[in-house]
Amino acid sequence: MDAETQQMIEKTVRGILEKSDMDEMTEFKIRKQASEVLDLDLSKPPYKALVKRVVQSFLEEQNQKEQQQQQEVEEDENPKIGDAQDQEYDDNGDLVICRLSSKRKVTLQEFRGKSLVSIREFYSKDGKELPTTKGISLTEEQWAVFKKNVPAIENAISKMESRI
Protein backbone atom coordinates (compact mmCIF):
# COMPACT_ATOMS: atom_id res chain seq x y z
CA MET A 1 0.00 0.00 0.00
CA ASP A 2 1.30 3.45 -0.81
CA ALA A 3 2.20 6.04 1.86
CA GLU A 4 -0.71 8.33 0.95
CA THR A 5 -3.29 5.56 1.41
CA GLN A 6 -1.68 4.51 4.68
CA GLN A 7 -1.74 8.09 5.98
CA MET A 8 -5.38 8.50 4.92
CA ILE A 9 -6.38 5.28 6.71
CA GLU A 10 -4.49 6.25 9.88
CA LYS A 11 -6.09 9.71 9.95
CA THR A 12 -9.60 8.31 9.38
CA VAL A 13 -9.25 5.56 12.01
CA ARG A 14 -7.87 8.03 14.59
CA GLY A 15 -10.73 10.42 13.86
CA ILE A 16 -13.26 7.65 14.45
CA LEU A 17 -11.51 6.58 17.65
CA GLU A 18 -11.43 10.12 19.05
CA LYS A 19 -15.20 10.49 18.58
CA SER A 20 -16.14 7.00 19.80
CA ASP A 21 -17.28 5.63 23.14
CA MET A 22 -14.42 3.24 23.77
CA ASP A 23 -16.57 1.05 26.00
CA GLU A 24 -18.83 0.28 23.03
CA MET A 25 -16.38 0.34 20.11
CA THR A 26 -14.63 -2.71 18.66
CA GLU A 27 -11.86 -2.99 16.10
CA PHE A 28 -14.36 -4.53 13.67
CA LYS A 29 -16.75 -1.56 14.05
CA ILE A 30 -13.90 0.90 13.56
CA ARG A 31 -12.71 -0.93 10.46
CA LYS A 32 -16.27 -1.03 9.09
CA GLN A 33 -16.83 2.70 9.69
CA ALA A 34 -13.47 3.60 8.17
CA SER A 35 -14.21 1.36 5.15
CA GLU A 36 -17.45 3.25 4.58
CA VAL A 37 -15.79 6.67 4.95
CA LEU A 38 -12.88 5.78 2.67
CA ASP A 39 -14.88 3.57 0.28
CA LEU A 40 -12.12 0.99 0.68
CA ASP A 41 -12.32 -2.65 1.86
CA LEU A 42 -10.23 -2.55 5.04
CA SER A 43 -10.88 -6.23 5.83
CA LYS A 44 -8.05 -7.22 3.48
CA PRO A 45 -4.93 -8.38 5.40
CA PRO A 46 -2.56 -5.40 4.91
CA TYR A 47 -5.32 -2.87 5.69
CA LYS A 48 -6.65 -4.93 8.59
CA ALA A 49 -3.15 -5.09 10.14
CA LEU A 50 -2.73 -1.32 9.73
CA VAL A 51 -6.08 -0.59 11.41
CA LYS A 52 -5.12 -2.93 14.25
CA ARG A 53 -1.80 -1.09 14.77
CA VAL A 54 -3.51 2.31 14.75
CA VAL A 55 -6.13 1.13 17.27
CA GLN A 56 -3.48 -0.38 19.56
CA SER A 57 -1.37 2.78 19.38
CA PHE A 58 -4.40 4.95 20.17
CA LEU A 59 -5.40 2.75 23.13
CA GLU A 60 -1.85 2.83 24.53
CA GLU A 61 -1.83 6.64 24.28
CA GLN A 62 -5.23 6.85 26.00
CA ASN A 63 -4.05 4.49 28.74
CA GLN A 64 -0.96 6.64 29.34
CA LYS A 65 -3.12 9.79 29.51
CA GLU A 66 -5.48 8.11 31.99
CA GLN A 67 -2.57 6.98 34.18
CA GLN A 68 -1.13 10.48 34.14
CA GLN A 69 -4.51 12.00 35.04
CA GLN A 70 -4.94 9.44 37.83
CA GLN A 71 -1.53 10.35 39.25
CA GLU A 72 -2.45 14.04 39.13
CA VAL A 73 -5.74 13.33 40.93
CA GLU A 74 -3.95 11.28 43.59
CA GLU A 75 -1.41 14.07 44.11
CA ASP A 76 -4.10 16.72 44.57
CA GLU A 77 -5.75 17.11 47.94
CA ASN A 78 -9.48 16.42 48.15
CA PRO A 79 -11.47 19.63 48.43
CA LYS A 80 -12.48 20.51 51.98
CA ILE A 81 -16.20 21.02 52.34
CA GLY A 82 -16.93 24.35 53.98
CA ASP A 83 -13.77 26.08 52.77
CA ALA A 84 -14.89 27.91 49.63
CA GLN A 85 -11.35 28.46 48.37
CA ASP A 86 -10.65 24.72 48.26
CA GLN A 87 -13.98 23.68 46.71
CA GLU A 88 -13.94 22.42 43.14
CA TYR A 89 -16.86 22.88 40.79
CA ASP A 90 -17.31 21.01 37.53
CA ASP A 91 -18.26 22.48 34.15
CA ASN A 92 -21.96 22.24 35.10
CA GLY A 93 -21.42 24.25 38.29
CA ASP A 94 -21.89 21.21 40.53
CA LEU A 95 -19.73 20.82 43.65
CA VAL A 96 -17.16 18.04 43.20
CA ILE A 97 -16.95 16.12 46.47
CA CYS A 98 -14.25 13.74 45.28
CA ARG A 99 -12.80 12.06 42.22
CA LEU A 100 -12.99 8.28 42.23
CA SER A 101 -10.86 7.94 39.08
CA SER A 102 -9.92 9.99 36.05
CA LYS A 103 -13.41 9.42 34.60
CA ARG A 104 -15.59 9.09 37.73
CA LYS A 105 -16.51 11.60 40.38
CA VAL A 106 -18.96 12.29 43.17
CA THR A 107 -20.80 15.60 42.89
CA LEU A 108 -23.48 17.46 44.80
CA GLN A 109 -26.02 19.04 42.49
CA GLU A 110 -29.41 20.72 42.50
CA PHE A 111 -32.12 19.32 40.23
CA ARG A 112 -35.73 20.51 40.25
CA GLY A 113 -35.24 22.00 43.69
CA LYS A 114 -33.75 18.85 45.19
CA SER A 115 -30.19 18.19 46.30
CA LEU A 116 -28.69 15.08 44.72
CA VAL A 117 -25.52 13.13 45.38
CA SER A 118 -24.36 12.00 41.96
CA ILE A 119 -21.80 9.26 41.34
CA ARG A 120 -21.16 9.34 37.63
CA GLU A 121 -18.73 8.74 34.76
CA PHE A 122 -17.65 11.75 32.73
CA TYR A 123 -16.10 12.19 29.29
CA SER A 124 -14.13 15.05 27.77
CA LYS A 125 -15.39 17.01 24.79
CA ASP A 126 -14.02 20.33 23.57
CA GLY A 127 -12.01 20.69 26.79
CA LYS A 128 -15.04 20.20 29.05
CA GLU A 129 -15.91 17.29 31.32
CA LEU A 130 -19.46 16.19 30.57
CA PRO A 131 -21.57 13.61 32.41
CA THR A 132 -22.52 10.30 30.81
CA THR A 133 -25.66 8.29 31.49
CA LYS A 134 -23.48 5.82 33.41
CA GLY A 135 -24.01 6.59 37.05
CA ILE A 136 -26.58 7.24 39.73
CA SER A 137 -28.06 10.28 41.41
CA LEU A 138 -29.45 9.84 44.91
CA THR A 139 -31.90 12.12 46.72
CA GLU A 140 -31.11 13.09 50.31
CA GLU A 141 -33.41 10.33 51.54
CA GLN A 142 -31.81 7.70 49.30
CA TRP A 143 -28.34 8.88 50.35
CA ALA A 144 -29.30 8.53 54.02
CA VAL A 145 -30.47 4.92 53.45
CA PHE A 146 -27.28 4.12 51.52
CA LYS A 147 -25.05 5.74 54.16
CA LYS A 148 -26.83 3.82 56.93
CA ASN A 149 -26.13 0.55 55.09
CA VAL A 150 -22.44 1.16 54.31
CA PRO A 151 -21.31 -1.00 57.29
CA ALA A 152 -23.41 -3.90 55.98
CA ILE A 153 -21.90 -3.45 52.51
CA GLU A 154 -18.36 -3.39 53.95
CA ASN A 155 -19.14 -6.50 56.00
CA ALA A 156 -20.42 -8.34 52.92
CA ILE A 157 -17.32 -7.33 50.95
CA SER A 158 -15.07 -8.59 53.76
CA LYS A 159 -16.87 -11.94 53.77
CA MET A 160 -16.53 -12.23 49.98
CA GLU A 161 -12.81 -11.40 50.12
CA SER A 162 -12.17 -13.92 52.89
CA ARG A 163 -13.57 -16.69 50.63
CA ILE A 164 -11.07 -15.93 47.89
Side-chain angles (χ1 to χ4, degrees), residues 64-101:
Q64 287 174 349
K65 285 180 187 177
E66 271 188 39
Q67 287 175 352
Q68 185 177 4
Q69 287 174 341
Q70 181 64 27
Q71 286 175 344
E72 290 170 6
V73 167
E74 289 171 358
E75 291 170 3
D76 291 342
E77 290 185 69
N78 288 332
K80 296 172 188 153
I81 305 304
D83 188 350
Q85 290 178 316
D86 292 332
Q87 291 181 348
E88 177 187 0
Y89 292 87
D90 67 14
D91 294 324
N92 294 321
D94 300 329
L95 177 62
V96 177
I97 303 301
C98 68
R99 291 180 178 271
L100 302 174
S101 70

Side-chain angles (χ1 to χ4, degrees), residues 9-20 58:
I9 293 169
E10 288 175 1
K11 184 178 179 182
T12 302
V13 169
R14 280 196 164 272
I16 292 168
L17 287 165
E18 288 169 1
K19 296 174 186 173
S20 297
F58 179 84

Side-chain angles (χ1 to χ4, degrees), residues 44-56:
K44 294 181 180 175
Y47 298 132
K48 189 174 182 178
L50 174 60
V51 171
K52 183 175 188 149
R53 283 194 308 271
V54 174
V55 169
Q56 287 174 335

